[in-house]
């Protein structure tokens, strides 16, 4: 007899009048807020602007929810399209059923769109959000506890979870795989934060580390689950998915480190100086008194090869004055030359006399 266990809630929904408040949905919402909060702090620390993570999450979250649901429905189609099943249930996301693989894949598409609109690199944004996604999964897994789903094999361990009678389940105590995965995700978040600080991960490597670490835990936890699933060569489909995704993440880590070492210096390009920047307005002012420098005069303009102040007419007048002065100078020089010649010939005249 098991004297200690984790009790499950008798219901996963509380009605506030006509409005149903579902525990599963609350866990998802809390996870999203935690991911955006932590991602925003990490993004600002890397030089990004506040609010950018939330702006891109507006694209990523809806895409992720659709992708997660599609993966679940496609891989467990017999639950919705088998004999005696109602296909409308495929749209009842509040009853549980989100595949993390589809959520990450299609969520990345939404994030790519948001990043393109903001002009920032997707890998840098993914690195900032990576540990937050792990924390979001840690919160979201408690939605399985509210719905009494995705538990493991029967056990009498003190931390077993109690499951009541219901559709497709038998009352008893089972391994709380939701708890195992939640704790594992907390560890993954801590690992990514530590590694990012220690090795300055960039260009998507922090996100790749999160993916690889999560796949390791998901692989062994998946072996413990007893819910209905497709098998390939006697192994659950999600185990094969974990293996393939883990290999891809590790390959990306190795190649990225060789091809693009280091971390991005700029994660959000500067939008340029603001129009009201005082430095731009006062650029031509004298730094001593704040007044504008005096305009150059005609002589300065002439020396610089620029038109004289006053326009073409003033330039023509200046040229005419220059011509007049030149003629006067020539006449004066001729008169001086005549006087010198006269002085030189005067002694000769006296001698003749």
């Amino acid at each position: 007899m098991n004297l200690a266990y984790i009790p499950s809630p008798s219901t996963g929904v509380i009605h506030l009048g006509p409005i149903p408040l579902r525990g599963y949905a609350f866990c998802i919402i809390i996870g999203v807020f935690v991911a955006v909060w932590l991602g925003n702090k990490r993004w600002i620390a890397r030089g990004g602007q506040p609010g950018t993570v939330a702006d891109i999450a507006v694209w990523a979250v809806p895409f992720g929810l659709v992708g997660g649901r599609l993966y679940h429905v496609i891989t467990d189609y017999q639950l919705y399209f088998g004999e005696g099943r109602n296909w409308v249930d495929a749209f009842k996301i509040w009853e549980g059923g989100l595949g993390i693989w589809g959520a990450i894949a299609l969520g990345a598409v939404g994030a790519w769109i948001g990043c393109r609109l903001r002009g920032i690199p997707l890998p840098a944004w993914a690195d900032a959000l990576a540990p937050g996604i792990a924390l979001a999964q840690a919160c979201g897994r408690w939605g399985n506890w509210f719905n009494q789903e995705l538990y493991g094999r029967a056990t009498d361990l003190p931390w077993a979870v109690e499951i009541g009678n219901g559709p497709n389940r038998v009352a008893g105590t089972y391994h709380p795989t939701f708890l195992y995965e939640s704790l594992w995700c907390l560890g993954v978040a801590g690992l990514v934060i530590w590694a990012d600080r220690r090795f300055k991960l960039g260009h998507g490597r922090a996100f790749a580390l999160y993916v690889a670490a999560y796949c390791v835990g998901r692989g062994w936890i998946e072996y413990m689950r007893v819910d209905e699933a497709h098998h390939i060569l006697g192994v659950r489909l999600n185990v094969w998915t974990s293996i393939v995704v883990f290999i891809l993440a590790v390959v990306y880590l190795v190649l990225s480190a060789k091809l693009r070492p280091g971390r991005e210096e700029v994660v959000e390009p500067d939008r340029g100086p603001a129009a009201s920047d005082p430095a731009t307005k006062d650029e031509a002012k004298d730094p001593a008194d704040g007044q504008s420098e005096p305009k150059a005069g005609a002589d300065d303009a002439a020396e610089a090869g620029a038109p004289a102040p006053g326009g073409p007419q003033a330039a023509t007048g200046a040229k005419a004055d220059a011509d007049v002065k030149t003629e006067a100078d020539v006449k004066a020089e001729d008169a001086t030359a005549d006087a010198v010649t006269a002085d030189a010939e005067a002694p000769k005249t006296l001698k003749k006399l």
Side-chain angles (χ1 to χ4, degrees):
M1 180 179 181
N2 193 351
L3 299 178
Y5 53 83
I6 302 173
S8 292
S10 57
T11 179
V13 57
I14 300 175
H15 287 84
L16 186 63
I19 302 175
L21 304 178
R22 303 183 183 278
Y24 187 88
F26 269 116
C27 292
I28 298 297
I29 293 172
I30 292 173
V32 170
F33 274 104
V34 170
V36 172
W37 169 78
L38 181 58
N40 184 65
K41 290 177 65 68
R42 287 171 52 81
W43 184 254
I44 294 174
R46 295 189 62 177
Q49 298 180 6
T52 297
V53 169
D55 292 343
I56 297 174
V58 170
W59 290 90
V61 172
F63 274 73
L65 291 175
V66 172
R69 188 60 176 178
L70 282 175
Y71 180 88
H72 167 72
V73 172
I74 291 173
T75 56
D76 291 312
Y77 62 89
Q78 73 281 355
L79 300 177
Y80 307 99
F81 304 102
E83 185 178 353
R85 303 288 184 173
N86 187 357
W87 64 270
V88 177
D89 293 340
F91 297 94
K92 297 180 180 178
I93 191 173
W94 57 86
E95 293 184 355
L98 288 175
I100 185 61
W101 316 112
I104 293 296
L106 205 55
V109 175
W112 176 80
I113 295 174
C115 287
R116 291 275 293 180
L117 294 176
R118 293 298 295 262
I120 65 176
L122 174 61
W125 184 85
D127 282 342
L129 204 67
I133 296 177
L135 292 181
Q137 290 178 253
C139 296
R141 272 307 174 193
W142 284 87
N144 302 137
W145 176 66
F146 279 102
N147 286 354
Q148 297 192 40
E149 61 183 358
L150 305 185
Y151 44 85
R153 296 186 295 269
T155 183
D156 57 356
L157 292 170
W159 56 83
V161 63
E162 181 188 36
I163 300 297
N165 278 317
N168 302 318
R169 66 176 186 244
V170 179
T173 54
Y174 300 86
H175 278 283
T177 51
F178 76 91
L179 177 60
Y180 299 159
E181 188 166 335
S182 180
L183 295 175
W184 182 267
C185 288
L186 290 177
V188 171
L191 172 65
V192 174
I193 292 174
W194 170 82
D196 195 26
R197 291 177 178 175
R198 175 66 177 81
F199 302 105
K200 304 297 182 183
L201 301 176
H203 302 287
R205 288 189 288 277
F207 184 81
L209 176 61
Y210 144 72
V211 172
Y214 172 75
C215 288
V216 173
R218 180 61 183 267
W220 68 265
I221 292 172
E222 192 74 22
Y223 266 116
M224 304 180 67
R225 285 169 49 170
V226 293
D227 54 297
E228 185 178 357
H230 293 286
H231 289 72
I232 299 176
L233 300 177
V235 179
R236 291 170 67 95
L237 175 61
N238 281 330
V239 175
W240 284 110
T241 305
S242 298
I243 294 173
V244 172
V245 175
F246 171 80
I247 294 174
L248 293 176
V250 171
V251 170
Y252 180 88
L253 269 171
V254 175
L255 294 180
S256 176
K258 291 183 178 180
L259 299 177
R260 307 186 70 182
R263 175 186 285 180
E264 299 93 338
E265 295 183 0
V266 178
V267 296
E268 194 160 1
D270 188 7
R271 297 175 181 271
S276 59
D277 189 354
T280 304
K281 290 183 177 181
D282 299 337
E283 186 176 4
K285 292 185 179 181
D286 187 89
D289 55 12
Q291 300 297 324
S292 300
E293 296 180 358
K295 296 181 180 179
D299 294 339
D300 296 335
E303 293 177 0
Q313 294 180 353
T316 304
K319 185 176 184 303
D321 292 340
D323 293 340
V324 172
K325 290 180 181 179
T326 302
E327 293 176 0
D329 291 341
V330 171
K331 290 180 179 181
E333 291 175 356
D334 292 343
T336 303
D338 293 342
V340 171
T341 302
D343 291 342
E345 292 178 352
K348 296 180 178 179
T349 306
L350 291 175
K351 287 180 180 182
K352 291 179 179 180
L353 293 174

